Amino acid sequence: MQALIRNNTLPAALLILGMSAPADAIAQKAIVEGRARAEADGAPVQFALVRLVPADSNTLPSDSPPQGITDADGRYRFDGVAPGRYRVQLLRIGFRPVLSDQVQVAAGKTVQFEFRVASQPLMLPPVSVTVTADVCVPANKLKEHPQLQTLWQQARDGASVRTELMARFRYHVLNQEESYELRSDGPTAPGTRDQPYVSDPKWAVKNATRNREQRLSRGYYGPSNDKGDGFYVPNELDVLHQDFLKTHCFVAAPARGEGEVGLRFRALRTRRNFLDILGTIWLDRTTYLARRLELEYVDGVESRGTVRVDFADVPVAGGTLRMPVGGAFTMRPSRTNPARRTEGKFTYTYSGFEEARPR
């Protein structure tokens, strides 16, 4: 049976902490490490973004190196830091952002910096749907729409935590799919497929970058891991990546469910013989983590199918992290036979999380 849904390697586009370097260079580098705890009860602040900011900077864009996350005990560590003056920045939804005082980092030394972080409900500026409803905002116009920019950045920061975890942890993923073809005489018998694979930090970043570039340049349909072609299924890390805004634009979406807010997106231009995507990523209004991703595949003005990706909190290394857990799809894989349809559902199961040692 031809595979219609291709499970892609979950993307990771940010730099890995502790990258390899020659021995003599390592000897001249320093270490910055510490722990983040909640101010109220001293509990560890798990899976918070931690960034090492040059002393002359006040803020740091999400893609600027180096960046990492705290572990389940609230600990973080930067290896191979060049001597200089830095600030340590910590971001975690539900806690007040922290930017430390300047710290001097000397060659061959270890600098300890501890955080006590105060709880703070996230209060985003209200998103004015009436203002942006008819305007799809590209990257170079986001600053003109501060509510939309804030929403996109908060969602992106949440996705960056999962990106960093993939850059540090090796884990197993089981993708299970069940699908059947709808014909004039009724549906075919369901076909099933189990696709296990291992997400390994050694190659996850490189593969994810290559796959994302191919999707944006060649479209969301192409060769699959097994024989035949298939539809590529993006996730929240794809649509919240900076590269996505080079070819797509965003507009705020009215909430469809309780306690959620949406970001709609579509392509900036229509390309012939190019399968693109449009849709909405729905976010939790409290945490701004993904709830679901609803996509439509379009070839010009022609719809080729839809897919829904659901998200949930998954146990990870002593904590929990929001990850895709399954979904459903309806596809029209044949241009010449538009009546032919394939429907199905899929699930992701994760296990065996092991933190990789810096190389």
Side-chain angles (χ1 to χ4, degrees):
M1 184 181 68
Q2 184 181 25
L4 294 174
I5 295 289
R6 176 181 177 181
N7 177 61
N8 53 32
T9 302
L10 302 180
L14 303 177
L15 295 182
I16 303 173
L17 301 182
M19 296 179 69
S20 59
D24 55 347
I26 293 175
Q28 302 303 315
K29 302 295 184 177
I31 295 172
V32 178
E33 63 182 12
R35 193 175 189 186
R37 294 177 177 272
E39 188 177 84
D41 56 8
V45 179
Q46 300 180 342
F47 302 135
L49 283 175
V50 186
R51 296 167 179 160
L52 200 57
V53 185
D56 58 356
S57 299
N58 292 320
T59 58
L60 199 66
S62 291
D63 274 355
S64 296
Q67 172 171 287
I69 54 174
T70 59
D71 62 16
D73 292 325
R75 300 185 185 279
Y76 68 91
R77 178 184 173 104
F78 293 92
D79 290 311
V81 178
R85 297 187 67 82
Y86 297 90
R87 297 174 185 266
V88 184
Q89 184 185 48
L90 184 138
L91 298 172
R92 179 71 160 87
I93 293 175
F95 292 90
R96 184 172 299 160
V98 177
L99 185 64
S100 75
D101 295 333
Q102 295 184 18
V103 293
Q104 180 65 49
V105 177
K109 300 296 184 180
T110 297
V111 176
Q112 295 274 344
F113 195 92
E114 307 294 317
F115 284 104
R116 283 284 184 167
V117 191
S119 299
Q120 176 176 282
L122 178 64
M123 299 296 292
L124 291 181
V127 178
S128 178
V129 176
T130 57
V131 173
T132 60
D134 296 324
V135 178
C136 200
V137 182
N140 61 349
K141 299 291 185 180
L142 269 180
K143 290 183 179 180
E144 300 175 13
H145 301 267
Q147 301 97 335
L148 190 61
Q149 182 184 35
T150 302
L151 177 59
W152 179 79
Q153 186 61 60
Q154 290 291 341
R156 191 162 175 240
D157 284 344
S160 294
V161 173
R162 190 161 77 85
T163 298
E164 287 294 331
L165 181 128
M166 288 185 294
R168 287 176 53 179
F169 282 82
R170 185 179 187 271
Y171 56 92
H172 296 262
V173 184
L174 176 60
N175 174 209
Q176 297 177 299
E177 180 185 324
E178 178 181 301
S179 63
Y180 55 90
E181 187 175 337
L182 297 175
R183 298 178 177 175
S184 57
D185 57 349
T188 63
T192 60
R193 183 185 68 165
D194 289 353
Q195 182 183 359
Y197 69 94
V198 176
S199 179
D200 195 313
K202 290 186 294 185
W203 46 257
V205 174
K206 183 181 296 185
N207 285 355
T209 300
R210 183 185 66 248
N211 290 339
R212 183 176 60 252
E213 291 173 349
Q214 289 179 349
R215 287 192 290 270
L216 293 175
S217 63
R218 304 179 189 175
Y220 289 80
Y221 189 88
S224 182
N225 288 332
D226 43 21
K227 294 181 179 180
D229 292 341
F231 290 83
Y232 290 94
V233 182
N235 55 43
E236 89 285 20
L237 304 184
D238 291 303
V239 301
L240 293 172
H241 194 275
Q242 183 70 42
D243 289 349
F244 191 72
L245 278 181
K246 296 176 182 177
T247 56
H248 294 74
C249 54
F250 277 110
V251 59
R256 272 189 11 196
E258 184 177 352
E260 69 181 15
V261 62
L263 278 172
R264 292 202 306 267
F265 54 87
R266 65 172 182 259
L268 289 171
R269 63 185 179 91
T270 300
R271 289 180 273 185
R272 295 186 60 184
N273 299 319
F274 185 93
L275 191 72
D276 214 324
I277 58 172
L278 58 84
T280 305
I281 179 169
W282 295 99
L283 309 166
D284 188 283
R285 186 175 284 277
T286 302
T287 64
Y288 291 86
L289 298 174
R291 281 190 175 185
R292 67 188 180 280
L293 180 59
E294 296 173 344
L295 300 170
E296 181 179 3
Y297 295 89
V298 290
D299 187 353
V301 297
E302 178 188 6
S303 176
R304 294 283 303 280
T306 60
V307 65
R308 186 195 76 246
V309 182
D310 299 319
F311 296 79
D313 291 333
V314 173
V316 173
T320 60
L321 201 64
R322 188 65 55 89
M323 302 180 76
V325 294
F329 59 90
T330 300
M331 300 297 182
R332 291 195 295 112
S334 172
R335 290 182 180 176
T336 59
N337 183 10
R340 177 187 170 197
R341 286 190 300 150
T342 301
E343 295 186 355
K345 59 185 178 179
F346 56 94
T347 60
Y348 300 116
T349 305
Y350 307 90
S351 62
F353 286 87
E354 298 178 352
E355 187 165 9
R357 298 296 181 187
R359 290 178 294 165

